Amino acid sequence: MELLSFFYQQPELVIKLLGEHLLLTFVAVGISAAIALPFAILITRVPWLTFLVMGAANLSQTIPSLAILGLCIPLLGIGFKPAIVALVLRAMLPIVINTYVGISEIDPAVIEAGRGMGMRSWQILTAVELPLALPVIMAGLRNATVICISVATLAALIGAGGLGELIFRGVAMVDQPMLMAGAIPTALLAILADVLIGRLELTLTPQGMRQ
């Protein structure tokens, strides 16, 4: 009841912080995809770069999120920008891995058939490889989105807003309704994103490839 009372008394605050959380997530996932997809495609063409690209993506996962935020503050200050950098670094690995695996596991005979039809490399990529790998790529984007929703709660520590503000305020003030008003929407948002992107992934999967 106390939680419902908090939502009833401060709906504007919750909606504002929810909007900030969504903005952080969508911007970070978008930037991550714009960076990770080209690099993943590149290493399917230039195998010797795989170690470097995968190593860099893995390194971004080994550094704690708070440490990334701390390293960004001297360069970018506090607020939106350092939070986005931290989220982008967190989201890149699943996108890189899934895109690489999705393209690499396509039957070579399909690629050869495309070449036999006179298709050039970029045509094979756009008309054959990416469409076939799209369900796997979407799974990577789904993981990246859920990760960003979770990690974005830390953005409140550097003034970037989001539902983490309610969580940290609730902890500092020993106010359980406030804490839950941040934690529950964050969890529901992650579940909703996982379900919606999962359904989109299923829709994009050819009928014969569905389990």
Side-chain angles (χ1 to χ4, degrees):
M1 292 300 294
E2 291 181 351
L3 177 60
L4 294 177
S5 177
F6 182 90
F7 283 130
Y8 179 75
Q9 292 172 3
Q10 303 196 55
E12 297 87 357
L13 175 62
V14 175
I15 292 172
K16 171 181 173 291
L17 296 177
L18 176 61
E20 292 173 352
H21 208 98
L22 288 170
L23 179 63
L24 285 165
T25 299
F26 289 144
V27 171
V29 173
I31 294 174
S32 297
I35 296 172
L37 288 171
F39 274 106
I41 293 170
L42 176 64
I43 60 179
T44 63
R45 268 64 181 163
V46 189
W48 65 269
L49 286 175
T50 303
F51 176 78
L52 295 176
V53 174
M54 289 295 187
N58 278 299
L59 181 62
S60 70
Q61 292 290 306
T62 60
I63 304 174
S65 300
L66 282 174
I68 296 174
L69 290 172
L71 292 170
C72 289
I73 287 174
L75 298 173
L76 301 173
I78 62 173
F80 189 78
K81 289 182 181 179
I84 288 297
V85 170
L87 291 174
V88 166
L89 291 176
R90 275 286 171 269
M92 284 183 61
L93 182 61
I95 300 175
V96 170
I97 289 178
N98 279 50
T99 303
Y100 175 73
V101 170
I103 293 176
S104 298
E105 291 191 349
I106 293 173
D107 189 343
V110 176
I111 308 298
E112 287 302 318
R115 290 199 181 102
M117 294 171 62
M119 298 175 71
R120 299 186 178 183
S121 294
W122 65 270
Q123 291 174 316
I124 292 174
L125 174 66
T126 56
V128 178
E129 292 175 309
L130 288 180
L132 289 176
L134 193 55
V136 183
I137 296 172
M138 290 301 300
L141 288 171
R142 180 176 64 177
N143 291 338
T145 302
V146 172
I147 289 170
C148 281
I149 290 171
S150 175
V151 177
T153 55
L154 298 176
L157 294 173
I158 58 170
L163 293 167
E165 277 197 22
L166 293 176
I167 296 173
F168 291 116
R169 280 190 208 173
V171 171
M173 299 169 63
V174 196
D175 187 331
Q176 185 173 355
M178 183 180 290
L179 189 157
M180 298 304 291
I184 291 176
T186 302
L188 292 177
L189 191 60
I191 293 170
L192 181 61
D194 185 66
V195 171
L196 291 178
I197 301 176
R199 287 186 178 276
L200 180 59
E201 176 190 335
L202 183 63
T203 301
L204 295 172
T205 302
Q207 192 72 32
M209 295 174 61
R210 297 181 186 179
Q211 295 182 350

